[in-house]
Amino acid sequence: MILSVQKQPAADTVKLTAEIEAALAELTRSLPAGMSAPEVIFKQSNFIGASIGNVEEALRDGAIMVAVVLFLFLLNVRTTLISLTAIPMSILITALVFKAMGLSINTMTLGGLAIAIGALVDDAVVGLENILRRLKRNVAEGAFRPALGVIAAATKEVLSGIVYATVIIVLVFVPLFALSGIEGASSRRSASRSSSRSSRACSCR
């Protein structure tokens, strides 16, 4: 006998799979003699775990590449470290927002997080490059204006460009909200052609 368990849209696949495995382990202890223990033949949580692992590797490799490129571009260790703090800070704030809103980590939220972090680092690089250039010019010209004033003026110069670029990126994804369902029409067509096994949260026999 094969039993397929499917989660509700708002349920956490990883948490549900752990609860099912705990229930199966408890059931195994009370099985009558001669009856084999339940065997899990497919778990969607494995795919989710692998996806999270891939994202962690991508974030690690991306952070290293960003650090190298920033240092070669700016030739300033302090500025490079400041830019890199945008990555862990954005992840931490996102985790806090997810917890406050009761959201869970899945492939769609991870994909959105990767895109948002890329845009955030890009904006940080643009702002810091202009600030560094203005600070160097302030010293070269002998104006000796207060550093905070120079930073505020440099930030204001590129603020409109950063805001417009971010709004354009957001507008690119606005049409996705018009799609019905979580995956959208194209994803549902692909899912209908795939086997029913791939759509299960957990299958046991």
Side-chain angles (χ1 to χ4, degrees):
M1 182 181 69
I2 296 179
L3 174 65
S4 176
V5 180
Q6 296 185 0
K7 71 178 186 66
Q8 294 295 324
D12 188 337
T13 301
V14 177
K15 182 178 179 181
L16 175 61
T17 303
E19 293 176 353
I20 292 175
E21 290 178 338
L24 290 176
E26 183 178 355
L27 178 65
T28 301
R29 293 194 294 266
S30 60
L31 287 177
M35 188 174 233
S36 59
E39 178 185 357
V40 179
I41 60 177
F42 173 78
K43 292 188 296 184
Q44 196 177 30
S45 61
N46 292 340
F47 169 75
I48 296 176
S51 300
I52 295 176
N54 292 335
V55 172
E56 291 176 350
E57 294 180 0
L59 289 174
R60 180 199 62 200
D61 298 341
I64 295 174
M65 294 181 63
V66 168
V68 173
V69 172
L70 284 177
F71 180 76
L72 294 177
F73 181 71
L74 300 174
L75 297 178
N76 190 300
V77 176
R78 181 181 178 184
T79 307
T80 301
L81 294 177
I82 293 174
S83 300
L84 290 178
T85 56
I87 297 178
M89 285 296 295
S90 61
I91 295 177
L92 176 61
I93 294 174
T94 302
L96 294 176
V97 172
F98 276 19
K99 183 177 181 180
M101 299 183 64
L103 301 176
S104 61
I105 298 295
N106 53 49
T107 54
M108 296 186 68
T109 55
L110 287 175
L113 181 60
I115 296 174
I117 289 175
L120 181 64
V121 172
D122 180 62
D123 295 341
V125 170
V126 173
L128 283 173
E129 190 277 334
N130 193 58
I131 291 173
L132 183 62
R133 181 172 61 88
R134 286 296 184 182
L135 288 174
K136 290 181 178 179
R137 179 179 296 182
N138 184 50
V139 175
E141 294 177 351
F144 298 108
R145 295 173 53 194
L148 290 178
V150 176
I151 293 173
T155 304
K156 188 176 180 180
E157 289 179 356
V158 297
L159 181 60
S160 60
I162 291 176
V163 171
Y164 293 150
T166 305
V167 170
I168 291 174
I169 294 175
V170 173
L171 290 176
V172 170
F173 295 96
V174 167
L176 296 178
F177 292 99
L179 299 176
S180 59
I182 299 177
E183 296 85 358
S186 59
S187 299
R188 289 198 306 274
R189 286 195 297 267
S190 300
S192 64
R193 290 192 297 265
S194 63
S195 63
S196 59
R197 180 182 180 184
S198 63
S199 64
R200 296 173 186 144
C202 180
S203 297
C204 312
R205 69 180 179 184

